[in-house]
DNA sequence: GGTTGTTTGAATCACTTGTTTGATGCGGTT
DNA sequence: AACCGCATCAAACAAGTGATTCAAACAACC
């Protein structure tokens, strides 16, 4: 599963286009990147996109699925791991959040720039493509979210379920925004000794989201269901 | 100030274009809306945009400034009010957050759909135009952010300053994401008795952000300055 | 009246968008 | 050899992009 050593020599072009698309989408968003931008970056012909992916939307779906599905699987795996470890009691909030966010760092094996682009791409997916994702991604995202919502409402019984859904939504916003603009932020908060690395940022985000999720809020309006229905 | 009864009869077109642009930008983002989309919606000619605003970017700047500057002023006013009220002690976190977020609801006098669009537009500004805003907006935003950062670090002395900057950034993300997708969210969390109104959502966001800002985090790496340098 | 400066409108500019075409080269099979 | 399926390419497609032109309409002033 290492993406080299094709059988029929041919479609390495496909991979180059996929990679270039991911990079440009991450940097400038889905709408702002043209097929010519992509194929130029990939040293390929414009027609290659429509040949391999049918359309620009087909390409977008492919790129999203290619990166999103492993993330969802890894989330599920980490949630399994957590529930195994804490079989006796409840899984702590920070562990659930970690299972949700860490895959951004671990699914991509490349460190440095590759991971940077990957994170920004994930942020773009969440904020620009939260709806209209490919079906398979939609389904697995649905499963993950349902599970996380249940686990969270177990450890946070004092938080009303509708409030919890909103707070989870706030977490998404914080995440998406950070993933997209982290590179820019790191430049701004230039400590002399070094920028915070991914692990530090992840930890800060988990701390923040944990605090927000379990805040001693007071707003109780009407109660209703609706858990695990939004996905990104 | 009611948008009718112009002096020189002429530039009501300008206002119509401005309004249509705001609406479409709010709904679909800055990049995805063309001048023709706007002028069609505004029942105006394409040339009107370049005549009144010089270019598409000029129009975008105008729309942003037109809505953003009053928000900044109102934020400043509310911060003044808060510092007057709490002259003896420190201004509580939730009051600072309220001063930051409430202008989204109060600056626009129209309730209902107008406010809805206004909020989404603000979200777009934060997430798609955080950089490259018009100069005047940039400056007043800088002042607001510097002030809020100082006030927050006063009430939250236990939170290291660099951590605080990151947490404030997380708050922005949560806000921006919510402003853009609130309409969609309200549909999802459909309680039988009624959707949460703006005031409820605002309160939930403040609760969440307060919890996140004042979380008992533990990550302390290197310390450095950099407060009040990012703006949206 | 005539002249001014401002605002509209249809037409057009050069350019980019996503998509399609038809020709070309290639390796593998019969 | 001829044939096939597949991948690539330059070229063109129609539609849409932001921007510009120039004539007409307009109000206001001398």
């Amino acid at each position: 599963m290492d993406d080299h050593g094709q059988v029929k020599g041919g479609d390495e072009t496909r991979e180059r286009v996929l990679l270039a698309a991911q990079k440009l989408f991450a940097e400038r968003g889905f709408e702002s990147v043209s097929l010519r931008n992509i194929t130029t970056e990939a040293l390929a012909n414009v027609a290659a996109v429509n040949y391999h992916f049918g359309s620009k939307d087909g390409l977008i779906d492919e790129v999203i699925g290619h990166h999103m599905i492993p993330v969802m699987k890894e989330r599920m795996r980490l949630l399994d791991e957590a529930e195994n470890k804490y079989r006796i009691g409840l899984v702590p909030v920070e562990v659930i959040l970690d299972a949700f966010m860490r895959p951004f760092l671990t699914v991509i094996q490349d460190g440095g720039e590759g991971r940077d682009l990957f994170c920004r791409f994930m942020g773009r997916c969440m904020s620009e493509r939260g709806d209209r994702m490919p079906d398979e991604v939609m389904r697995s995202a649905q499963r993950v979210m349902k599970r996380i919502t249940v686990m969270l409402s177990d450890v946070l019984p004092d938080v009303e379920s509708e409030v919890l859904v909103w707070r989870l939504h706030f977490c998404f916003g914080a995440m998406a925004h950070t993933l997209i603009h982290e590179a820019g932020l790191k430049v701004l908060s230039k400590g002399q000794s070094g920028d915070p690395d991914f692990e530090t940022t992840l930890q800060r985000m988990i701390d923040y989201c944990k605090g927000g999720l379990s805040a001693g809020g007071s707003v109780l309006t009407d109660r209703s269901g609706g858990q695990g229905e939004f996905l990104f």
Side-chain angles (χ1 to χ4, degrees), chain A:
Chain A
M1 211 173 290
D2 220 344
D3 282 355
H4 62 275
Q6 302 294 337
V7 178
K8 35 177 165 170
D11 54 12
E12 72 194 22
T13 304
R14 198 188 135 95
E15 305 298 323
R16 283 205 317 277
V17 171
L18 229 37
L19 198 65
Q22 180 226 347
K23 174 183 172 184
L24 294 180
F25 287 155
E27 288 173 343
R28 302 171 12 206
F30 292 98
E31 308 277 355
S32 317
V33 178
S34 75
L35 292 188
R36 267 135 185 125
N37 294 149
I38 296 172
T39 51
T40 300
E41 170 89 20
L43 299 176
N45 192 282
V46 210
V49 171
N50 287 278
Y51 176 75
H52 285 288
F53 308 100
S55 67
K56 186 186 182 182
D57 269 304
L59 169 62
I60 293 179
D61 279 0
E62 186 85 12
V63 183
I64 292 180
H66 184 67
H67 291 92
M68 213 56 158
I69 291 173
V71 166
M72 294 298 172
K73 283 191 175 144
E74 177 69 0
R75 282 173 173 171
M76 275 301 194
R77 196 187 67 77
L78 291 176
L79 290 176
D80 288 340
E81 205 172 280
E83 282 191 330
N84 266 354
K85 184 173 175 185
Y86 295 89
R87 186 174 295 282
I88 328 141
L90 296 167
V91 182
V93 177
E94 62 267 27
V95 175
I96 301 174
L97 287 171
D98 189 274
F100 186 76
M101 301 183 182
R102 181 167 300 281
F104 293 149
L105 306 187
T106 55
V107 154
I108 226 63
Q109 61 274 41
D110 173 26
E113 189 177 2
R115 177 175 294 171
D116 206 61
L117 284 176
F118 180 79
C119 285
R120 294 182 69 180
F121 180 81
M122 284 292 129
R124 299 279 184 196
C125 288
M126 286 200 280
S127 67
E128 299 174 17
R129 283 271 164 166
D131 39 0
R132 60 195 163 126
M133 289 233 180
D135 285 353
E136 189 183 351
V137 176
M138 218 65 178
R139 279 192 300 272
S140 60
Q142 226 153 3
R143 281 195 296 272
V144 169
M145 289 319 304
K146 214 149 211 154
R147 192 169 173 192
I148 285 187
T149 307
V150 170
M151 290 173 75
L152 279 178
S153 67
D154 281 347
V155 257
L156 299 171
D158 293 340
V159 181
E160 196 205 357
S161 82
E162 189 185 343
V163 173
L164 184 65
V165 173
W166 278 86
R167 290 185 178 179
L168 201 39
H169 176 75
F170 299 149
C171 290
F172 289 172
M175 279 187 55
H177 200 241
T178 303
L179 288 174
I180 295 176
H181 298 109
E182 195 199 16
L185 251 193
K186 282 203 282 196
V187 176
L188 288 178
S189 74
K190 43 179 181 293
Q192 60 278 21
S193 65
D195 314 319
D197 56 10
F198 286 93
E199 192 64 43
T200 306
T201 304
L202 175 66
Q203 197 55 51
R204 283 175 179 164
M205 212 146 70
I206 291 176
D207 287 342
Y208 172 87
C209 289
K210 180 188 176 184
L213 283 174
S214 46
S218 56
V219 183
L220 304 185
T221 54
D222 51 26
R223 55 165 299 119
S224 66
Q227 68 226 26
E229 304 210 30
F230 67 94
L231 308 174
F232 299 98

